[in-house]
């Protein structure tokens, strides 16, 4: 690695500084919310109206969390507001469409920035787009995510059933990294010692590498479930889901909440707030900068190549990019109980699962995928007929339910399976619909209703098997979704190119200078 006096390093540093100046220029203020970077041993967040520089220190006095010290603020501290409850519930979100940076909040911002730059392939500059930015030049959606700010980072989280407190909606601060250790605690796995967020030994760790903490405020330690079933509604806005529960539009999810607890302000996904990094975070209990699935796409400096994880061509092999030693709910449970069977349905982040949809695909097993959405239960014809993606992901999610129900009933594709101690079911329709129409659209709400019906099919299968009353459940998303403004388009890449800067932009926000 070149030292600071190396001519190449000096040129690169100058290009980073030049790119930063252009990105926080008022001309790009409508589309650039923040620019993040790590240099000279500190982290920086820059906006058009101010910047902050802060340092990370290791935990002390038995704590398992990093400590952060603000070193310098110029103008407004762009990360100064880290409130968890901004723009919640739905009425507050609707009252503040396309919020300005001065209105926004960035929960757990210091930790989220720091973890990202721990990865050796982290970008030189991470650009966080504004709430209103519509990616028109890249086939933009009415619903967007990826930001560190309130609505896009907020995912729903409900936990229910045996071993869970029945408190309804509660105010508990939480991140997606907390889900894996909480599930393992529910299942009665004893700590075996691992490492914490700082990489040092952590005696109470339930995973070999654990960034999160057990959400003990949500658990009843006097009970233990025999099985845990997890549902992920990809890209589901937490405020919208909570509103639909109250309105009676999601009765199966409402039943889960009635038998447990939900986080009123949601659970915070990891930066970048996009799909594959956060699916992996849920299963591993690690942030993207630690588990190795850094983004949906990034640049591997060491190998000199682009890595893409979130595409139909790469889902089956996405976990090849996991950092060595990364643990998972599946692996930790089977270490504690070698006979435990676990299943991962329609989930690319299948690390360590006994059964996996994508493992069947890797082995060339033919599955009975439906040819059309016509006639499938829990399918909104008013949307799957005119919207191709709605039809495709209706078929995908129906196929997932067929797998989950077959496994619960003991057989799928002629192969017998034991009842899983941990069953994970990923639903994809919500992400497609919330992108298509925005989170406040009828197509988005239809996708939740359809998915609620499919969750009901899984719950009914557990009831028929006679085990539902011995189960715990959790429901989450990988990130939130926010309404974008089609009038606010544009891209920062042409501005950098016009200035003569050599910058590679991966996944619309990971900037690599000199590549």
């Amino acid at each position: 690695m070149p030292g600071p006096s190396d001519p190449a390093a000096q040129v690169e540093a100058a290009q980073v500084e030049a790119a930063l100046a252009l990105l926080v220029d008022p001309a790009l203020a409508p589309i650039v919310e923040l620019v993040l970077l790590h240099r000279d041993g500190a982290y920086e967040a820059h906006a058009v109206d101010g910047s902050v520089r802060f340092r990370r220190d290791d935990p002390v006095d038995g704590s398992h969390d990093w400590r952060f010290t603000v070193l310098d603020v110029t103008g407004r501290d762009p990360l100064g507001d880290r409130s968890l409850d901004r723009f919640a519930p739905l009425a507050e979100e609707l009252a503040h469409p396309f919020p300005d940076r001065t209105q926004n909040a960035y929960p757990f911002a210091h930790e989220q920035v720091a973890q990202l730059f721990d990865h050796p392939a982290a970008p030189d500059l991470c650009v966080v787009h504004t709430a209103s930015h519509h990616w028109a030049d890249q086939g933009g959606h009415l619903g967007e995510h990826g930001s560190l700010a309130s609505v896009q980072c907020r995912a729903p989280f409900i936990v229910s059933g045996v071993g869970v407190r029945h408190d309804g909606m509660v105010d508990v601060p939480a991140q997606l990294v907390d889900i894996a250790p909480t599930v393992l605690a529910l299942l009665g796995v004893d700590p075996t010692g691992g490492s914490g967020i700082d990489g040092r030994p952590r005696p109470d760790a339930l995973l070999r590498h654990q960034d999160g903490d057990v959400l003990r405020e949500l658990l009843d330690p006097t009970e233990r479930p025999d099985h845990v079933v997890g549902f992920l509604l990809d890209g589901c806005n937490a405020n919208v889901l909570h509103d639909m529960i109250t309105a009676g539009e999601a009765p199966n999810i409402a039943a889960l909440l009635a038998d447990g607890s939900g986080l009123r302000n949601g659970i915070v996904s990891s930066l970048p707030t996009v799909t594959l990094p956060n699916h992996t975070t849920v299963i591993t209990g690690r942030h993207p900068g630690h588990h190795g699935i850094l983004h949906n796409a990034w640049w591997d400096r060491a190998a000199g190549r682009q890595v893409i994880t979130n595409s139909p061509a790469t889902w089956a092999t996405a976990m090849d990019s996991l950092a060595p030693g990364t643990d998972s709910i599946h692996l930790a449970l089977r270490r504690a109980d070698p006979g435990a069977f676990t299943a991962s349905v329609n989930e690319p982040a299948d690390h360590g699962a006994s059964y996996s949809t994508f493992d069947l695909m890797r082995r060339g097993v033919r599955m009975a995928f439906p040819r059309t959405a016509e006639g499938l239960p829990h399918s909104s014809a008013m949307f799957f007929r005119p919207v191709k993606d709605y039809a495709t992901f209706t078929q995908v999610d129906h196929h997932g339910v067929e797998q989950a129900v077959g496994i619960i009933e003991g057989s799928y594709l002629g192969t017998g399976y034991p009842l899983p101690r941990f069953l994970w079911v990923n639903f994809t329709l919500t992400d497609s619909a919330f992108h298509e129409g925005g989170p406040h659209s009828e197509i988005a709400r239809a996708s939740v209703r359809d998915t609620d019906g499919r969750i009901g099919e899984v719950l009914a299968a557990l009831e028929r098997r006679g085990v539902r009353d011995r189960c715990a459940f959790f429901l989450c998303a990988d990130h939130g979704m926010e309404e974008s403004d089609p009038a606010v388009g544009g891209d920062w890449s042409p501005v950098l190119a016009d200035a003569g800067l050599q910058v590679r932009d991966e996944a619309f926000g990971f900037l690599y200078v000199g590549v």
Side-chain angles (χ1 to χ4, degrees):
M1 179 71 73
S5 61
D6 184 271
Q10 291 177 353
V11 170
E12 183 174 318
Q15 290 208 358
V16 167
E17 192 62 38
L20 175 61
L22 290 169
L23 290 164
V24 297
D25 187 274
L28 289 180
I31 65 173
V32 174
E33 180 104 341
L34 296 168
V35 182
L36 311 172
L37 68 154
H38 178 222
R39 59 182 173 182
D40 301 328
Y43 305 90
E44 301 175 23
H46 295 259
V48 67
D49 58 348
S51 64
V52 63
R53 188 168 178 267
F54 61 95
R55 183 184 72 225
R56 177 179 73 186
D57 297 306
D58 289 340
V60 294
D61 301 328
S63 170
H64 301 302
D65 297 320
W66 287 322
R67 297 174 297 129
F68 296 98
T69 302
V70 172
L71 303 174
D72 183 62
V73 176
T74 301
R76 183 184 68 90
D77 180 353
L79 301 181
D81 191 336
R82 298 183 291 280
S83 307
L84 290 166
D85 60 352
R86 188 61 45 81
F87 310 132
L90 181 60
E92 280 295 303
E93 182 181 336
L94 293 173
H96 297 88
F98 323 128
D100 182 75
R101 58 181 54 78
T102 59
Q103 299 175 294
N104 243 322
Y106 309 89
F108 300 99
H110 292 151
E111 179 174 328
Q112 292 296 341
V113 173
Q115 63 81 20
L116 176 69
F117 290 101
D118 282 341
H119 195 285
D124 297 302
L125 298 162
C126 174
V127 183
V128 178
H129 62 92
T130 60
S132 57
H133 186 216
H134 181 78
W135 287 103
D137 295 342
Q138 288 83 32
H141 304 287
L142 288 175
E144 294 287 5
H145 58 91
S147 169
L148 189 63
S150 300
V151 177
Q152 296 187 27
C153 79
R154 179 187 294 129
F157 184 66
I158 293 169
V159 61
S160 174
V162 179
V164 174
R165 292 179 60 88
H166 298 183
D167 292 339
M169 298 300 284
V170 298
D171 296 313
V172 174
Q175 301 183 78
L176 285 187
V177 291
D178 300 326
I179 292 178
T182 300
V183 170
L184 291 169
L186 254 177
L187 285 164
V189 173
D190 293 324
T192 56
S195 64
I197 195 167
D198 63 336
R200 293 187 300 183
R202 178 174 177 176
D204 69 339
L206 295 162
L207 298 121
R208 286 180 171 164
H209 299 278
Q210 181 175 313
D211 290 344
D213 297 296
V214 176
L215 298 173
R216 298 197 183 279
E217 304 97 319
L218 305 180
L219 304 185
D220 178 356
T222 66
E223 298 181 316
R224 289 276 183 256
D226 293 335
H227 315 277
V228 171
V229 180
F231 303 111
L232 187 143
L233 278 61
D234 198 298
C236 185
N237 175 297
N239 288 336
V240 171
L241 181 64
H242 296 163
D243 185 72
M244 293 185 68
I245 290 171
T246 301
E249 295 184 66
N252 292 299
I253 298 173
L256 293 178
L257 177 59
D259 195 30
S261 299
L263 299 187
R264 193 186 328 273
N265 299 314
I267 192 165
V268 176
S269 60
S270 294
L271 183 69
T273 59
V274 297
T275 297
L276 248 298
N278 281 291
H279 281 241
T280 311
T281 287
V282 172
I283 294 299
T284 67
R286 304 186 83 184
H287 288 300
H290 300 163
H291 61 55
I293 309 301
L294 189 60
H295 205 314
N296 289 337
W298 67 92
W299 182 256
D300 184 336
R301 286 190 183 90
R305 67 182 182 94
Q306 183 190 48
V307 180
I308 299 175
T309 54
N310 191 35
S311 78
T314 59
W315 284 330
T317 56
M319 293 301 102
D320 290 352
S321 294
L322 277 176
T326 295
D327 210 350
S328 72
I329 296 172
H330 303 284
L331 291 172
L333 176 59
R334 293 218 309 277
R335 281 198 304 276
D337 178 6
F341 175 73
T342 69
S344 177
V345 174
N346 281 3
E347 174 54 70
D350 58 355
H351 183 47
S354 308
Y355 168 94
S356 161
T357 307
F358 285 94
D359 177 62
L360 296 183
M361 293 173 63
R362 288 189 289 268
R363 293 191 285 116
V365 175
R366 292 178 62 88
M367 290 177 279
F369 190 82
R371 292 189 174 187
T372 176
E374 290 285 352
L376 297 181
H378 317 297
S379 302
S380 296
M382 68 178 295
F383 294 116
F384 76 63
R385 286 175 180 156
V387 182
K388 181 179 178 181
D389 277 356
Y390 201 99
T392 298
F393 292 110
T394 291
Q395 294 163 253
V396 169
D397 287 358
H398 175 81
H399 182 229
V401 169
E402 286 188 328
Q403 293 174 67
V405 169
I407 289 168
I408 291 167
E409 293 179 342
S411 177
Y412 177 66
L413 295 181
T415 299
Y417 294 104
L419 197 62
R421 289 286 311 283
F422 174 58
L423 170 62
W424 175 245
V425 187
N426 171 36
F427 293 104
T428 58
L429 179 64
T430 43
D431 185 75
S432 172
F434 277 66
H435 272 307
E436 177 74 22
H440 311 132
S441 63
E442 179 53 31
I443 191 174
R445 295 179 85 95
S447 73
V448 174
R449 290 191 292 266
D450 289 353
T451 303
D452 181 82
R454 295 188 180 102
I455 289 172
E457 296 285 351
V458 177
L459 299 178
L462 292 166
E463 190 75 50
R464 291 193 299 272
R465 185 72 188 262
V467 297
R468 180 171 175 175
D469 62 355
R470 305 206 312 268
C471 292
F473 304 90
F474 70 93
L475 180 148
C476 66
D478 49 347
H479 49 74
M481 191 76 74
E482 188 166 22
E483 195 89 7
S484 70
D485 184 354
V488 183
D491 187 353
W492 44 77
S493 294
V495 175
L496 301 176
D498 289 346
L501 298 176
Q502 185 180 346
V503 179
R504 185 183 185 102
D505 188 350
E506 288 288 350
F508 311 126
F510 271 27
L511 305 189
Y512 298 85
V513 173
V515 177

